[in-house]
Amino acid sequence: MSSLLIDAASASWIGTRSRQEDSVLTNIPPGDEPGLIVLSDGMGGHADGDIASRAIVTEVLADLFLAACRPDALRVHGADILRRAAEAANIRLRDHTSAGVGQEGMGGTLVSGVIQDGGLRWLSVGDSPLYLMRGDALQRLNEDHSLAPQIDLMVAQGEIDAESAKTHPQRGVLTSALTGGPIAKVDCPDEPMALHPGDIVVFASDGVDALGRTRISELLRDHRHRGAGAIAERLIEAVERHGAQDQDNVSVVVVAVRPPPYERAERVVTHPGPSWRQWAGHVFASLRPRGTQP
């Protein structure tokens, strides 16, 4: 049994875009059942990014939901289960475009996680960041699968200036994503990461990076004792106040880890989601082909 309390919450903002292409699904039930987090950012500027992100999170959540019904298998094969869920979502995108549901070329990022036995397993494809605040140190757990790291390297080598790098037209080009074709790169550690009391984990779309690493760290540190809901709201409010002219959609899922006040550990969910049974109805209804009846 885990000796930790998990306080989780999510928040989103459309930014200055005409539509919301981020999708988020979470299920952090009370007690010792595995907690699930799935976030996808539809590929901006591409066809039907909103449809793609919804298909991705629904398919991944469905696979993880079924896996969570067998917690012993999840403990042993968790990394493989996360990878298979990503592959299933990728195949679902291909099937959708073949069936005319969404346009050719639609796709999105994926960052997903499973909380079980006081540890976090995670997987990511694309540039959606996964941050860990431990103590006063903020680190990004996953790689950025876009051209941004190469452009930043050009700055370090003196090839371009820092200001030009921030607005480089290819900065947001993804080097790996779910599109229905081969997935160029997947980050998924084989072993879970142990969570510690006081840890704050943030799953996010890359819109949050408008704040910069220093500002994100300040916000997490300043509001760490206010709970996951307050932290999520402060992050979104800070992006709004930042006022970037071309602000992308931004979505966050904040997971705050606390020591339990009682002998028996339970999960605290700031914004509780539907029950497992409700999730099952939602997920499997969404997977039903169009035109069919329940």
Side-chain angles (χ1 to χ4, degrees):
M1 179 183 297
S2 169
S3 61
L4 301 175
L5 289 171
I6 304 298
D7 176 17
S10 62
S12 296
W13 181 49
I14 196 171
T16 62
R17 302 299 171 85
S18 60
R19 60 182 178 177
Q20 176 62 268
E21 294 185 317
D22 293 349
S23 295
V24 177
L25 288 177
T26 65
N27 193 23
I28 316 277
D32 297 317
E33 295 177 83
L36 311 176
I37 302 107
V38 188
L39 182 150
S40 177
D41 180 357
M43 290 165 59
H46 288 68
D48 293 332
D50 52 343
I51 295 175
S53 68
R54 291 170 192 166
I56 289 168
V57 298
T58 300
E59 186 67 36
V60 172
L61 193 282
D63 273 29
L64 297 183
F65 173 85
L66 292 174
C69 296
R70 301 173 60 220
D72 289 341
L74 191 58
R75 289 184 183 96
V76 177
H77 304 294
D80 289 337
I81 288 168
L82 282 165
R83 294 185 186 105
R84 287 199 297 269
E87 289 286 355
N90 198 49
I91 292 170
R92 177 51 57 106
L93 286 180
R94 186 183 65 203
D95 292 345
H96 277 331
T97 55
S98 297
V101 181
Q103 300 180 53
E104 194 73 34
M106 71 175 184
T109 69
L110 169 64
V111 58
S112 58
V114 176
I115 299 172
Q116 185 182 33
D117 301 332
L120 170 68
R121 293 184 181 274
W122 59 267
L123 174 146
S124 73
V125 179
D127 61 354
S128 294
L130 176 62
Y131 289 116
L132 168 66
M133 183 80 167
R134 178 166 290 169
D136 289 331
L138 180 70
Q139 62 174 307
R140 179 167 178 160
L141 297 176
N142 60 342
E143 291 187 26
D144 182 346
H145 300 158
S146 76
L147 292 181
Q150 287 105 323
I151 293 170
D152 290 340
L153 181 61
M154 292 169 64
V155 174
Q157 295 174 340
E159 297 178 25
I160 61 173
D161 62 85
E163 198 58 37
S164 297
K166 290 180 183 178
T167 59
H168 196 287
Q170 292 186 308
R171 187 172 186 84
V173 174
L174 296 178
T175 56
S176 186
L178 303 187
T179 62
I183 305 173
K185 189 167 187 180
V186 176
D187 285 351
C188 184
D190 290 329
E191 298 299 326
M193 179 189 75
L195 295 171
H196 299 169
D199 283 354
I200 301 173
V201 182
V202 180
F203 297 72
S205 59
D206 68 326
V208 77
D209 287 335
L211 296 175
R213 194 78 59 93
T214 299
R215 181 59 178 146
I216 293 171
S217 180
E218 290 173 351
L219 287 164
L220 298 184
R221 185 173 59 249
D222 291 348
H223 299 282
R224 68 192 336 157
H225 300 299
R226 299 188 60 195
I231 295 170
E233 290 169 4
R234 296 296 87 75
L235 286 169
I236 297 299
E237 288 173 1
V239 175
E240 291 188 57
R241 287 196 301 270
H242 182 70
Q245 287 187 338
D246 189 27
Q247 175 61 51
D248 196 1
N249 308 146
V250 55
S251 297
V252 298
V253 179
V254 175
V255 177
V257 185
R258 301 175 178 176
Y262 310 109
E263 289 185 6
R264 177 172 175 77
E266 294 186 11
R267 280 199 172 88
V268 175
V269 186
T270 306
H271 299 304
S275 69
W276 285 95
R277 201 161 289 176
Q278 288 172 311
W279 265 124
H282 164 75
V283 168
F284 292 114
S286 66
L287 296 180
R288 189 179 302 118
R290 289 188 176 185
T292 64
Q293 297 298 319

